[in-house]
Amino acid sequence: MALDYQKLLNPSQAAAVMQIDGPCMIIAGAGSGKTRVLTYRIANLLEQGVDPFNILALTFTNKAAKEMRARIEKVVGPEAKNVWMGTFHSIFARILRSEADKIGYPRHFTIYDTQDSKTLLGQIVKEMDLDDKLYKPNMVLGRISAAKNKLISVEQYLQDPVIKQDDEAALRPKIGAIYQQYALRCFKAGAMDFDDLLFNTNVLFKNHVDVLNKYQNIFKFVMVDEYQDTNYSQYLITRKLAAKERNICVVGDDAQSIYAFRGADITNILNFEKDYPELQVFKLEQNYRSTKNIVKAANSVIKNNKAQLRKDVFSENEEGTLIEVLKASSDNEEGKLVANSIYEDKMNQHLSYENFAILYRTNAQSRAMEEALRKLNIKYKIIGGLSFYQRKEIKDLVAYLRLTVNHNDEQALRRVINYPKRGIGDTTISKLINSAEESNHTLWEVVSNANSFLNTRIANPIETFAEQIKSYAVLAGKEDAFEAAKFIAKNSGMVEELYSDKSIEGLSRYENIQELLNGVKAFVEDPEREEKSLAAFLQDIALVTDTDLKDAKDEGESVTLMTIHSAKGLEFRNVYIVGMEENLFPSQMMITSRADLEEERRLFYVAITRAEKKLTLSYATSRYQWGNLRSCEKSRFLDEIDPQYVDFKFAASPAGSGDGTFGHVLERRSNLLPTPPRKTVATKYVAPADFKPSDTSNLQTGQRVEHPKFGFGAVTKLEKQDGSVKAIIQFEEVGEKTLLLSFAKLRVVS
Ligand SMILES: Nc1ncnc2c1ncn2[C@@H]1O[C@H](COP(=O)(O)OP(=O)(O)OP(=O)(O)O)[C@@H](O)[C@H]1O
Ligand SMILES: [Mg+2]
């Protein structure tokens, strides 16, 4: 049955959906249905008889792609499955895999994650005898990444006089040399980092016109969501793909461009108009997501930006409640206020915790929120931060799997060559690395022929290890991913190693390994997967983005916590934007120029426009940063919102209190709380499942800590005694305890 687009869409949306031939662009405000238009546009193409294999839709997260696919499938049926839909990285990783030989890569190339890239850069800086304080991996990776996203190759980087001048002025003249070595090492290891996936796609299309032709014929219709956040490398890929048919449709919002720091380029929107003079432009002005108040407040904020395309966004939804502002005396207090408010709204308005999201500027802010939510027994999930796949034990097992599929994967090899311990010491590993360097072999080639490089006694365990890995490869060639992974987890000794550790953390690491194996099993049993090999599984997990993890471990009804960056495109009934303070939001690091401040303001605009019904902003007048208590000033962004949309009553300093603390107001809030049933709001401390103790060798008095049994507390005194250190800690719930640091499992929370 054909869809009634006139009913599902407003006239401009419907017009954009019906326009099939030729380039089109929709640059419109938040919540105006851009993503909805793309979804129905694909549905319409399919209804018109377009082959799903001829449609390419690029989204910002895999999760967005999944949702879009599910919606289309609902209306047009299972053929929606065959539409090419995904992030730039996942789609082009797939294409690179089938064309890898053309650019000299193995078919089963590894994808290095950011951590792998940084580790490798650290190793290179050390090998080159450079100052690691000057050449911090994070900074170097940022430079290399920026170069790659502008398609600047190693050769160009080394030759460009302007770049040379820049690096010299920054007293970092060796970045080019590091880039060169880094690219070489990745290539030798058969590995690509995230930026390479786009860079190499461009290389592929540039050097192999036949390949480009092939994909131009496949992708007769190209669509891009969140176009404002594409970088040059992505822009060029889409331009090349659409060059033949010119059926390209992009949607975005210049007011929501928030990735300039990663090379996203607003000029891509302007270029688009130049590239396609026959372009049709559609305007969408009605916001369907949020109340009038929220939309007007968002407009009043973004108006302060000079650099933006003028557009009016309005809402026909209800007026809605005013924006609430909460003022707290500290970050912990802020957590409490937010948690209380969530609890209260959930109870009074019969909502589900799924309706709530807490958004913050930096991941570190989640700590105070988590603490407060846990105390009220409110379930939450964190998107981003240290994700499942970044945990040590998971990375260890995944390294075994990667090494099985691609023996040359140097970072994986270095990670597991002596884990679990098999008597291959650091000196030996250094020797192997040097031998590889000197003889111009890969590390794996040296490892698998260790006898030719080292004496027999040292070489034997190394060769045994190599044989082991080779046998895994044989197995992985015959069995599916699950059988292979299960065998490798056991045979490598990892399972036994973790099982023998009976501590709480040891147990949770063991469970994480089981969880990973469950994931592999689900992958293998998914009827929609054609390829069930270990290599296919690895590709799947290499491209999990932070936001995708929302689905990874669904713990039922829970509040969502994430950075504003990961909230792009999403919507929640009630939204809290916390940490509305100068130097935090806008971020101190980001406001050295007007352009940076405008990017921060766009980020604020993105945050506001995630809310459907209720928006709450909060700030604290003091906050722990780097272990010190600092006083903070409220964010200038709060004053930029037109006050007629804001309710400051919760933030008003109580008359006559004079000290500016929030005691009275807190009380007022607490009075508003319905008396919670005792069971739900237990004061008893509950340790989180993933509790991880910190290194406490530098513990200071005054620091806040968390103990798996005693809960939260502050260190009041540290005493040295017979070489060990005793800490006296005042716990909030159980009072003072004296603990020996060498035994106590403490997590430092600030
Ligand atoms: N014509 C319409 N009728 C009913 N609901 C609509 C209509 N258009 C959009 N919506 C709804 O409004 C909400 C926002 O739409 P959508 O997410 O597509 O907006 P967007 O422009 O992509 O927003 P963002 O800029 O945040 O990505 C969604 O819940 C969507 O289903
Ligand atoms: Mg959208």
Side-chain angles (χ1 to χ4, degrees), residues 29-36 38 68 225-226 251-252 256 289 568-570 610:
S32 59
K34 298 182 295 294
T35 304
R36 189 177 168 104
L38 276 193
M68 205 184 265
D225 197 2
E226 308 277 3
V251 312
Q256 294 186 68
R289 177 181 296 145
K568 205 155 71 109
L570 306 181
R610 298 310 95 202

Side-chain angles (χ1 to χ4, degrees), residues 295-309:
V295 169
K296 287 181 193 164
N299 287 343
S300 71
V301 168
I302 201 66
K303 200 174 76 213
N304 294 294
N305 269 9
K306 289 214 168 79
Q308 65 148 342
L309 310 171

Side-chain angles (χ1 to χ4, degrees), residues 246-429:
R246 297 176 85 79
N247 290 325
I248 179 167
C249 171
V250 302
V251 312
D253 178 3
D254 58 305
Q256 294 186 68
S257 157
I258 52 174
Y259 279 95
F261 73 100
R262 261 203 228 153
D265 195 346
I266 202 94
T267 55
N268 288 345
I269 293 180
L270 308 172
N271 280 339
F272 199 79
E273 290 180 316
K274 282 197 206 113
D275 291 344
Y276 307 96
E278 76 274 35
L279 180 69
Q280 293 213 43
V281 180
F282 295 92
K283 266 174 101 176
L284 306 179
E285 297 188 323
Q286 180 168 358
N287 173 307
Y288 288 86
R289 177 181 296 145
S290 316
T291 63
K292 286 199 179 74
N293 264 320
I294 293 170
V295 169
K296 287 181 193 164
N299 287 343
S300 71
V301 168
I302 201 66
K303 200 174 76 213
N304 294 294
N305 269 9
K306 289 214 168 79
Q308 65 148 342
L309 310 171
R310 283 283 144 219
K311 53 185 165 317
D312 297 306
V313 188
F314 66 92
S315 166
E316 291 279 286
N317 296 341
E318 57 182 334
E319 208 73 44
T321 52
L322 293 177
I323 295 170
E324 255 180 40
V325 177
L326 304 175
K327 174 184 174 186
S329 59
S330 68
D331 43 358
N332 292 326
E333 197 85 72
E334 184 189 30
K336 278 187 208 161
L337 289 180
V338 168
N340 279 350
S341 162
I342 291 178
Y343 181 80
E344 180 188 331
D345 283 355
K346 176 194 185 284
M347 289 303 172
N348 291 346
Q349 299 170 39
H350 307 287
L351 303 176
S352 141
Y353 283 135
E354 291 290 319
N355 293 132
F356 297 86
I358 303 177
L359 310 181
Y360 34 74
R361 179 67 182 83
T362 61
N363 273 310
Q365 288 167 258
S366 75
R367 195 265 315 154
M369 295 297 137
E370 287 182 70
E371 219 176 276
L373 292 169
R374 281 215 293 275
K375 281 190 181 154
L376 288 186
N377 271 349
I378 298 175
K379 274 199 183 161
Y380 62 87
K381 56 191 161 210
I382 299 191
I383 313 296
L386 198 61
S387 72
F388 182 74
Y389 289 105
Q390 274 149 16
R391 294 184 186 156
K392 180 185 176 298
E393 61 278 11
I394 299 299
K395 290 205 82 160
D396 290 338
L397 180 52
V398 169
Y400 269 107
L401 306 182
R402 271 166 46 173
L403 190 57
T404 299
V405 167
N406 171 15
H407 295 338
N408 282 325
D409 184 336
E410 186 186 329
Q411 294 309 310
L413 175 56
R414 286 171 81 152
R415 194 168 181 106
V416 297
I417 189 166
N418 196 35
Y419 177 81
K421 287 204 166 32
R422 46 177 72 84
I424 306 174
D426 286 349
T427 334
T428 310
I429 296 174

Side-chain angles (χ1 to χ4, degrees), residues 332 367 371 374-375 624 685 691-696 698-718 727-733 735 737 739 741 744-750:
N332 292 326
R367 195 265 315 154
E371 219 176 276
R374 281 215 293 275
K375 281 190 181 154
Y624 272 99
Y685 170 78
F691 180 90
K692 264 206 193 108
S694 329
D695 171 16
T696 48
N698 289 320
L699 195 70
Q700 311 274 332
T701 51
Q703 276 185 313
R704 281 180 63 73
V705 291
E706 182 180 15
H707 184 277
K709 217 166 103 198
F710 305 138
F712 296 99
V715 182
T716 52
K717 207 169 165 196
L718 290 165
I728 302 172
I729 301 174
Q730 183 68 36
F731 286 100
E732 288 169 9
E733 275 149 26
K737 297 267 173 201
L739 303 171
L741 281 192
K745 295 198 164 58
L746 290 173
R747 188 172 78 93
V748 179
V749 289
S750 64

